[in-house]
Amino acid sequence: MRTTRVLSSLRVVSGVRAGGTGRAGRVVRAVGAGLLVLGAAASPAVADSSPSASPSDDGAAPTSAGTSFRTATEVDQGQQATASASMGDYLYWSFPADAGQRPTVKATVKLPDAHASATWQVDVYDGLRRRQACQYGAQTRTAAQDAASVELSCTLRTVRAWSEPWADDPLPGTYYVRLTTVGLKAADLGLPVSAEVQVDSKDVGGAAAVDGSLAEPLVPGVAVAAKGGDSDEDSETSVAVLSSIEPDDGWASGWWSDRWVWTGVGGVLAALAGVGGYTLTRGAGRPRRVPPSA
């Protein structure tokens, strides 16, 4: 609404000042047109910065969790996965994250009626099983004695399309969430708990764009299958079965960014500035009272 009012005001001012036939009127018209183009191009760029995660349409959300990296339960971004477990268990989920996304993992653990104080922790690992640091969020929290629940969160750094081999930057691929309790007392071991985990992402856009991309996303094999139906994993014909979960519009979907928009707008404004500068500096031509040179 504010952008619409500004653009309307610019139209009015441009119309009033352009009524004259002087060079200033032509410059004002040119600048007004450039600002209108800038406002129109900025609208989709601002819209792209909104959260991109949306609930998956593929059935219901998972109601269980894995116990290791290889058995991690796959969950789409925007889904709320639930699981019933016991205190002391390690719970694993996996989700996809593409370039330009900033994932946020939120976990809620509902505790039994009677329990001692315990510290819960959520960790996030990338496709190479490297633990990723949280940019912000309560990654570790201690539940007081007889507390009903505990909430955890972890916001990762923005996923980059490419990085140096020695760097620890988040890269496109599968990410693993591990939820567990640390410092558990023996009296609470095995008490029933229920967990809820949800992953959402914000599309950062061109601010995180880099020159380069991975040949393939970091999606590790989760199982081994034989081409001919043989279940022997040592068979020469066995192949790795990759994770079946991926972004809705495929991997490496972040090739488009608002950098393209702002680059085009900058080119248009530069051209308008050149035209305006030429109009102001070229002069009015030969005065009528001066005869042409022989």
Side-chain angles (χ1 to χ4, degrees), residues 185-256:
K185 296 183 179 179
D188 291 342
L189 187 63
L191 292 179
V193 295
S194 60
E196 298 177 355
V197 171
Q198 182 170 341
V199 181
D200 297 295
S201 288
K202 179 179 180 180
D203 189 359
V204 177
V210 296
D211 295 332
S213 61
L214 297 180
E216 295 290 341
L218 301 180
V219 182
V222 295
V224 175
K227 292 182 179 179
D230 186 9
S231 60
D232 185 9
E233 295 185 0
D234 297 332
S235 174
E236 296 181 355
T237 60
S238 61
V239 293
V241 179
L242 299 181
S243 175
S244 60
I245 196 170
E246 65 177 21
D248 295 337
D249 48 0
W251 291 107
S253 59
W255 67 271
W256 168 263

Side-chain angles (χ1 to χ4, degrees), residues 45 55 77 100 155 244 247 273-274 281 293:
Q77 292 191 26
T155 299
S244 60
T281 58
S293 59

Side-chain angles (χ1 to χ4, degrees), residues 20-125:
T21 59
R23 289 171 295 175
R26 291 193 294 270
V27 174
V28 170
R29 286 197 297 270
V31 174
L35 292 176
L36 290 176
V37 173
L38 177 61
S43 298
V46 174
D48 291 341
S49 64
S50 59
S52 60
S54 59
S56 176
D57 297 332
D58 300 331
T63 57
S64 62
T67 57
S68 65
F69 287 101
R70 292 181 61 85
T71 61
T73 299
E74 297 177 352
V75 57
D76 280 323
Q77 292 191 26
Q79 282 186 326
Q80 187 179 60
T82 59
S84 298
S86 301
M87 295 184 69
D89 291 344
Y90 285 81
L91 306 180
Y92 287 82
W93 293 269
S94 64
F95 66 93
D98 207 354
Q101 294 182 343
R102 182 183 296 164
T104 298
V105 179
K106 295 182 180 180
T108 302
V109 182
K110 297 181 180 180
L111 305 173
D113 295 336
H115 63 85
S117 61
T119 301
W120 289 83
Q121 181 171 315
V122 59
D123 297 305
V124 183
Y125 299 83

Side-chain angles (χ1 to χ4, degrees), residues 45 48-49 98-103 135 156-164 169-172 175 201-214 253-260 262:
D48 291 341
S49 64
D98 207 354
Q101 294 182 343
R102 182 183 296 164
Q135 191 175 22
L156 300 179
R157 294 171 293 169
T158 304
V159 178
R160 297 166 57 89
W162 178 85
S163 178
E164 296 288 348
D169 297 324
L171 295 172
Y175 283 77
S201 288
K202 179 179 180 180
D203 189 359
V204 177
V210 296
D211 295 332
S213 61
L214 297 180
S253 59
W255 67 271
W256 168 263
S257 69
D258 53 10
R259 283 191 177 186
W260 295 89
W262 293 112

Side-chain angles (χ1 to χ4, degrees), residues 1-14 32-41 43:
M1 183 65 69
R2 182 176 300 176
T3 303
T4 304
R5 293 178 180 174
V6 172
L7 295 179
S8 300
S9 302
L10 289 173
R11 294 192 187 99
V12 174
V13 173
S14 299
L35 292 176
L36 290 176
V37 173
L38 177 61
S43 298

